[in-house]
Amino acid sequence: MGIRGFVPFCPWNWCLLLATLQCCGAFSELNRSTDSSARRELNVRYAAASSQPAETISVFTLDYDYVQIPYEVTLWILLASLAKIGFHLNRRLPGLMPESCLLILVGALVGAVIFGTDHKSPPVMDSSIYFLYLLPPIVLESGYFMPTRPFFENLGSILWWAGLGALLNAFGIGLSLYLICQVPAFGLGDINLLQNLLFGSLISAVDPVAVLAVFEEARVNEQLYMMIFGEALLNDGISVVLYNILIAFTKMHKFEDIEPVDILAGCARFVIVGCGGAFFGVIFGFISAFITRFTQNISAIEPLIVFMFSYLSYLVAETLYLSGILAITACAVTMKKYVEENVSQTSYTTIKYFMKMLSSVSETLIFIFMGVSTIGKNHEWNWAFICFTLVFCQIWRAISVFVLFYVSNQFRTFPFSIKDQCVIFYSGVRGAGSFSLAFLLPLSLFPRKKLFVTATLVVIYFTVFIQGITVGPLVRYLDVRKTNKKESINEELHTRLMDHLKAGIEDVCGQWSHYQVRDKFKKFDHKYLRKILIRNNLPKSSLVSLYKKLEMKQAVEMVESGVLSSTAFSTPHRVQKTQETKRLSPEDVESMRDILTRNMYQVRQRTLSYNKYNLQPQTSEKQAKEILICRRNTFRESVKKGHSLPWGKPAGTKNIRYLSFPYSKPLPAGRDMKVAEFTDHDGSDSELPPITFNTHSPTGTIQERRWTPEVIPMKRLHGAGTPLHFGYRRNAGREEHLGRGGRAILRPKPLFHAVDEEFESEEESEEETPAFGSLLSSELRPGGDCNVSHSPLLQRK
Amino acid sequence: MGAAHSASEEVRELEGKTGFSSDQIEQLHRRFKQLSGDQPTIRKENFNNVPDLELNPIRSKIVRAFFDNRNLRKGTSGLADEINFEDFLTIMSYFRPIDTTMDEEQVQLCRKEKLRFLFHMYDSDSDGRITLEEYRNVVEELLSGNPHIEKESARSIADGAMMEAASVCVGQMVRAWGPCLHAPLSACGALPAEPDQVYEGITFDDFLKIWQGIDIETKMHVRFLNMETIALCH
């Protein structure tokens, strides 16, 4: 029903989606209808088989029971994935609602199908399955993708808020609901205090991942983002610990009274469980980092080590009745830094994707299961309890936010404004965690479990749908202080400078540096930990790797010098491109930022962009590789077509590249002579889009445009010659030739002839010397771009 | 007794000048003495004693900023040979966080002061412009922490930034000139354009323009300089 409602948004996608949904539905339907008959047959067959071993083998049988659980789970996941595809095909929808809405809707759809067909859903969710298999991947993922630096910078506030906030919410909601239960008119008299507290603890587990996506899009300030992230990270752990302790209390309460000592013990236990879990996590994190040090020869095993050790930390902590969630989080945070440096690039990618995949599978399953259990008979509706739950959830969240932030603001340099606090209050979205905990309540201890589940579902639906959808507009409306992620290289530079400046000033001021602890850790880290944990003998002897490195370096250089969007060479839209040339293209800025990020000392990392469901592509190296390949191809193509000269390219095809300017040193003399020379081997000039050059003043500009491309290749080749020789040593003669060309740069007049020769000979022998070709083309390109980049600027006026 | 009295008198005076609390001044004074080796003034060499500063890629710029007459409000150019405690405090006061109780005008003033300090870090020849050369210099220094990055790429970053700055700042100027098309280009020195068309560098006004969207309030401050004030306020 919900899905049909969205059909008008984008009929195409939704039709597609619906079709797939129906296919899947029909498919499982088919299976189900055959299922019952098959089962009967099967039973008969088994019965027969047990009594008479010499039965004939049937040619065709169906054994659905055997595969039911994995089969249906697979179908669910597939269905959810298809729905996600449809969801993201639509352009506007992801901006309108969080993805968890979609998952819940799909779950409800599956639930409706199951309910309608009277089919019994497989018991995917029970306590042990949830805690042993579904929960760890989710927690591991959020721990592993945590932006370490801002997290630790805001550690105090995060711990204060996430820890105390969860407790305050749990007890607040529990106690106030207990008061409500005392009102005889509501018929809730049989729910005792412990049960209420337990309900409070499970309902206070917020899951603001959906909100994080909104924040990222709205670019809210880093502090706010980290508060919500920290809450998402730690809240689960705290709620689960509380939940388990309260369950233990409830069990105990069945047989005897609870004494104050027990309560004290419970508090102590809470601390022990939390700290112990984190401790084990750190230990296992170090161990796994240490082990990945030795895996260079069997890199396929690296992801396995990472996953198994994280899981082991979880299991060990659980064995000792410590918090496995905190253990696995701590483990992920600890090892991430070292593992990333030890493992190979591919393993690293594998780890990331596998982690995303596992956690999204877990979450999908939980959400679908939530949908499934929404539609069914196991509900108990009590207006009073449910409404008050909803109200108290909001009230207590508001109280905890405003009280806790009032306190923590006293200690912060930059306090959270009221707007920030409002947004934090509003982002209290409940999710899979609350539902799972409610669903797993033991029925023997909680006779009103159905009521709890219903209330939890209502809270989740309310928060996910209403708050999740409206938080985006709210953030925009409140105009929360933004981070400045403008695409501006100046800004990037200034900010970096400022970071260093601040570090320097703190150093000058000496001992009371804010980052004192971090610096201490850094030194310790460099002195001991890194030496022990990180393998530093990078494979440098291997010839191949050296070559690759050089090639990569060259490509990265190209990226750096802004040749990045050369991939757009063959794309037909030219005029469009000239429009967006006022600023650096986003790719250029991105690549610059990349260089800055990777190469500076003690830089403050930006909040990594975090998305529960997706990975940001690892840009730099991949791009470099692509560019390299692309570059070769384009060069080859252009050579075949016969216009290899970069200045023959129509101007509008490329993005503007300011960066290539440094190479274009004006030559002192001989300008006038050149004009004639240029015009004759420049046939394609006439094809240039008129807009581009109409604005040129007739004198001077043409030569200037010419100047740059010709000069650059030789100059750059000359300069960068040494490392590049590696790849094409066999072309010794050519090199010589090149050398001559390079020297020719000093004498303006013969220069262009030299270049021409170069290119002609290149055309002939291009096939044998692809590396050389790519080199030349790559060297020429910046120049070629250079002449282009004039025009948009000129045009701007 | 008299000495103590005059000392506190002095402190009060400094408080008024720089806005620091007496606790902070005391702490900074302790640090100052440590740096100077109990001398009344600090010279450049004294900064060599700060071990953590060694690693800072813009170390020389930072040290220089301490002796810059413009930052010390003593003149429009040049470097001081040595600075006394008051000067030290003056420099430090650039890094005080912006007070939340200040009104809009004061905030703007404070912001401008901070930006001016930054601007002076770039503008090493105190001619009121960040020229391309100076900009490149800064970027090279910033990237000097990594030996693998080449000067070329640092330069191209600086050039890109300069171009961007030019296009942000010169926009209307160029429009006013009409057919003068090369202004942004000549910023990088690539073209010998007519003198009145050259974008010579980022002036302070341009600098302000570039910083327009950035909330320097949250960025340019050092945390410890704030802790005590808060403690005092409440």
Side-chain angles (χ1 to χ4, degrees), chain A residues 564-575:
Chain A
L564 191 70
S565 30
S566 55
T567 40
F569 278 175
S570 47
T571 51
H573 38 248
R574 304 172 179 178
V575 189

Side-chain angles (χ1 to χ4, degrees), chain A residues 153-154 223 406 409-415 481-482 484 486-491 493-514 519 523 553 557 560-561 582-584 589 592 595-596 598-602 606 658-666 671 695-697 699 701 704 715-716 789-790 793-797, chain B residues 27-28 31 34-35 47 50 52-53 55-58 62 66 88 91-92 95 97-98 100 117-118 121-122 135-136 138-139 142-143 145-146 148-150 152-153 155-165 167-168 171 174-175 178 180-182 184-185 188-192 202 207 210-211 213-224 226-227 230 234:
Chain A
E153 268 173 21
N154 293 306
Q223 302 173 358
Y406 177 77
N409 272 349
Q410 307 299 316
F411 299 97
R412 286 187 68 91
T413 321
F414 284 97
R481 197 157 50 79
K482 304 269 166 56
N484 309 283
K486 254 195 307 172
E487 306 276 280
S488 153
I489 197 70
N490 270 299
E491 206 176 299
L493 281 173
H494 295 326
T495 327
R496 303 274 169 196
L497 181 92
M498 180 99 85
D499 286 343
H500 291 299
L501 177 62
K502 271 189 317 197
I505 293 293
E506 279 180 358
D507 291 338
V508 168
C509 295
Q511 62 268 45
W512 352 287
S513 161
H514 166 46
D519 289 345
K523 270 181 202 148
K553 200 174 135 207
E557 236 166 57
E560 285 163 5
S561 55
K582 273 184 202 162
R583 321 201 53 174
L584 289 175
V589 173
M592 286 177 167
I595 309 170
L596 291 170
R598 274 183 289 127
N599 295 297
M600 300 232 284
Y601 147 83
Q602 243 199 10
R606 294 306 161 88
Y658 299 111
L659 298 188
S660 32
F661 278 104
Y663 312 119
S664 51
K665 285 276 169 6
R671 265 207 212 175
T695 44
H696 274 273
S697 58
T699 58
T701 46
E704 278 154 14
K715 181 172 176 276
R716 288 214 54 190
S789 48
H790 293 220
L793 280 167
L794 304 173
Q795 217 186 75
R796 196 153 51 79
K797 285 97 224 177
Chain B
Q27 270 174 318
L28 283 172
R31 180 64 181 174
Q34 197 184 337
L35 283 178
F47 281 96
V50 185
D52 294 331
L53 209 55
L55 289 170
N56 204 318
I58 55 165
I62 293 173
F66 272 90
F88 185 71
I91 299 292
M92 282 300 166
F95 292 91
I98 288 182
T100 40
F117 183 87
L118 272 187
M121 288 197 70
Y122 286 96
Y135 213 157
R136 278 182 183 167
V138 172
V139 176
L142 275 176
L143 290 170
N146 188 327
H148 304 300
I149 208 100
E150 277 153 34
E152 280 296 282
S153 51
R155 290 172 69 121
S156 49
I157 289 180
D159 295 341
M162 200 64 172
M163 288 307 268
E164 194 188 69
S167 70
V168 168
V174 171
R175 211 171 298 126
C180 142
L181 304 167
H182 297 137
L185 286 184
C188 64
L191 297 172
I202 304 169
F207 196 67
I210 293 168
W211 275 90
I214 314 176
D215 51 340
I216 193 161
E217 297 90 336
T218 60
K219 292 211 167 103
M220 190 163 160
H221 71 92
V222 181
R223 164 88 64 120
F224 68 88
N226 190 51
M227 293 300 250
I230 276 184
H234 293 272

Side-chain angles (χ1 to χ4, degrees), chain B residues 8-26:
Chain B
S8 70
E9 206 46 21
E10 206 177 302
V11 166
R12 209 160 306 139
E13 195 186 326
L14 287 175
E15 260 178 65
K17 265 190 197 162
T18 58
F20 285 114
S21 71
S22 54
D23 278 0
Q24 287 172 331
I25 290 178
E26 209 164 292

Side-chain angles (χ1 to χ4, degrees), chain A residues 48-123:
Chain A
S50 56
S51 58
Q52 296 170 326
E55 184 59 51
T56 54
I57 294 167
S58 51
V59 178
F60 180 78
T61 51
L62 203 64
D63 192 354
Y64 184 67
D65 278 354
Y66 177 61
V67 296
Q68 187 198 1
I69 294 178
Y71 181 82
E72 288 183 9
V73 166
T74 311
L75 274 189
W76 288 359
I77 294 172
L78 211 57
L79 185 65
S81 308
L82 289 175
K84 277 188 195 176
I85 293 173
F87 182 72
H88 285 287
L89 274 180
N90 191 317
R91 267 190 212 145
R92 276 189 308 155
L93 214 49
L96 282 178
M97 58 197 265
E99 212 171 283
S100 42
C101 292
L102 175 82
L103 289 178
I104 294 175
L105 287 177
V106 172
L109 192 82
V110 173
V113 169
I114 289 177
F115 185 69
T117 56
D118 236 359
H119 178 74
K120 197 178 174 307
S121 64

Side-chain angles (χ1 to χ4, degrees), chain A residues 7 73 104 111 185 194 203 213 297 339 364 370 463 663:
Chain A
V7 171
V73 166
I104 294 175
L194 264 179
I203 205 75
N297 296 329
V339 164
T364 306
M370 193 162 100
T463 52
Y663 312 119

